[in-house]
Amino acid sequence: MDNTEMRQIQWFPGHMAKTRRLIAANLKLVDAVTEIVDARAPLSSRNPEMDSMTKGKPRIVLLNKSDLADENATGMWINYFKNNGAEALAVDCKSGKGLKNLLPTIKKSVLRELMEKRERSGMVGAAVRLMIVGIPNVGKSSLINRMAGSKRTKVEDRPGVTRTKQWVKLDNNTELLDMPGVLWPKFEDQDAAIRLAFTGAISDDILDIETLAMKLLSYLAENYPQSLRERYKIEFDDNDSGLSLLEKVGKKRGMMISGGEINTERAAITVLDEFRSGKLGRITLELPPKKEHVCQE
């Protein structure tokens, strides 16, 4: 993507260093790490430091909002994570789709060796403790609420756990350690920032929404042209810019202002809202890299 039209997006969250320390301090209290990413942009919605921060712990990656993502692309991402050392599941934390497979997969695959060891030692029934991590707005709260339901309560204080963290008891055999959303000090990859902006993970208030919509439309025209044609009943070709696509959408939807000018801001809001709600169909914003390894144990 050409980022010359958009100012650099940088986050310098004050809690980042503190969260990194907390993860390191609490890692010894859990058996495995559950990392949540957005299925539409799995790599862009991961903290690139997560591998080093959770090194040595078994992991499972949940591709959340998979109902909004391209099914074939999601399958590629699941294989990608598995080939790089982590189990992976396609889920939708809000509706609960796919979550019934989470605990069985953790116990039978991710923690198979631990569970077998406990069985040999007569420790069957000992609680499995999981750390839940992910960047803000990726679906951590939805996962915990869906999994815990009315059971979402704080477990008694434990040594080494800060008050800002929360133990959530699912049943007698499973406990979740909810960590705060983890960001990185800044976006080295501006394309990743743009993808997160498409999904709404970054507030629209800090971006030029029309430029963002133009970039999304250009991506869709190249990768999902039929989705654009079916949703907006417009025709276009390779010569259409993001601006011309936005104007076509606005004109088709009757978004005009005085003087016959097209209200491109209103059109931009519509395009982004309809993408985020799935009205444009199941769309993925990035495919797995072919060689880079991201899940090192």
Side-chain angles (χ1 to χ4, degrees):
M1 301 178 193
D2 178 10
N3 297 321
T4 56
E5 302 168 37
M6 300 190 73
R7 60 189 177 90
Q8 292 288 93
I9 302 170
Q10 294 188 353
W11 283 355
F12 293 89
H15 70 277
M16 179 59 199
K18 179 182 177 183
T19 301
R20 191 187 292 113
R21 290 194 300 269
L22 286 172
I23 287 179
N26 288 289
L27 206 57
K28 62 182 178 293
L29 302 177
V30 301
D31 302 308
V33 174
T34 301
E35 180 182 4
I36 308 178
V37 301
D38 190 318
R40 295 166 296 177
L43 213 54
S44 295
S45 59
R46 299 183 76 234
N47 184 296
E49 296 182 11
M50 192 56 67
D51 295 318
S52 59
M53 284 192 286
T54 60
K55 190 174 182 180
K57 284 291 178 181
R59 257 188 298 167
I60 185 168
V61 177
L62 299 185
L63 293 123
N64 188 29
K65 304 180 184 178
S66 60
D67 58 320
L68 299 176
D70 184 322
E71 199 168 7
N72 291 331
T74 298
M76 294 170 64
W77 277 108
I78 287 174
N79 290 332
Y80 172 73
F81 284 115
K82 286 184 176 181
N83 290 337
N84 287 285
E87 282 291 331
L89 289 176
V91 302
D92 179 51
C93 294
K94 191 168 285 188
S95 69
K97 183 179 178 182
L99 288 180
K100 67 180 185 297
N101 299 318
L102 175 56
L103 295 183
T105 300
I106 288 174
K107 293 178 181 180
K108 293 177 182 178
S109 181
V110 179
L111 292 177
R112 181 175 56 84
E113 292 183 12
L114 175 65
M115 302 307 287
E116 290 175 351
K117 180 180 178 182
R118 286 182 175 180
E119 189 173 353
R120 290 193 301 270
S121 305
M123 295 176 62
V124 177
V128 169
R129 292 172 180 163
L130 308 171
M131 180 182 287
I132 309 294
V133 296
I135 69 169
N137 303 318
V138 84
K140 245 173 2 87
S141 295
S142 295
L143 169 71
I144 293 170
N145 288 334
R146 173 62 62 169
M147 295 288 290
S150 60
K151 299 189 184 95
R152 186 176 182 180
T153 55
K154 284 192 177 182
V155 180
E156 68 273 13
D157 290 339
R158 300 179 184 278
V161 181
T162 339
R163 292 179 183 176
T164 54
K165 304 300 138 303
Q166 181 177 336
W167 280 100
V168 181
K169 191 169 184 177
L170 299 188
D171 51 39
N172 291 331
N173 301 110
T174 314
E175 296 175 5
L176 307 180
L177 177 56
D178 182 19
M179 303 297 286
V182 182
L183 299 179
W184 42 98
K186 65 178 179 178
F187 284 111
E188 297 293 348
D189 180 359
Q190 287 293 299
D191 285 345
I194 298 297
R195 292 185 193 103
L196 288 180
F198 288 161
T199 67
I202 298 175
S203 172
D204 292 334
D205 295 338
I206 65 170
L207 300 165
D208 182 280
I209 197 166
E210 290 169 81
T211 303
L212 189 63
M214 287 181 227
K215 288 181 177 296
L216 177 58
L217 286 168
S218 294
Y219 176 83
L220 295 174
E222 181 179 351
N223 297 279
Y224 294 92
Q226 200 54 33
S227 294
L228 279 187
R229 292 191 173 101
E230 290 178 1
R231 183 64 188 173
Y232 298 115
K233 313 300 181 190
I234 59 174
E235 286 302 323
F236 52 87
D237 56 37
D238 293 343
N239 296 319
D240 276 289
S241 65
L243 175 58
S244 65
L245 289 168
L246 187 61
E247 289 175 337
K248 287 182 178 183
V249 169
K251 185 175 182 180
K252 195 69 176 181
R253 289 288 180 91
M255 296 174 178
M256 312 300 290
I257 52 181
S258 58
E261 188 178 343
I262 299 169
N263 188 336
T264 51
E265 181 180 5
R266 187 178 163 200
I269 293 170
T270 296
V271 168
L272 289 168
D273 283 349
E274 295 191 350
F275 164 72
R276 292 166 184 170
S277 64
K279 291 179 181 176
L280 286 168
R282 301 180 67 162
I283 291 164
T284 295
L285 300 169
E286 61 185 355
L287 293 176
K290 293 181 180 178
K291 294 182 179 179
E292 183 185 355
H293 288 249
V294 298
C295 289
Q296 303 290 337
E297 289 198 19

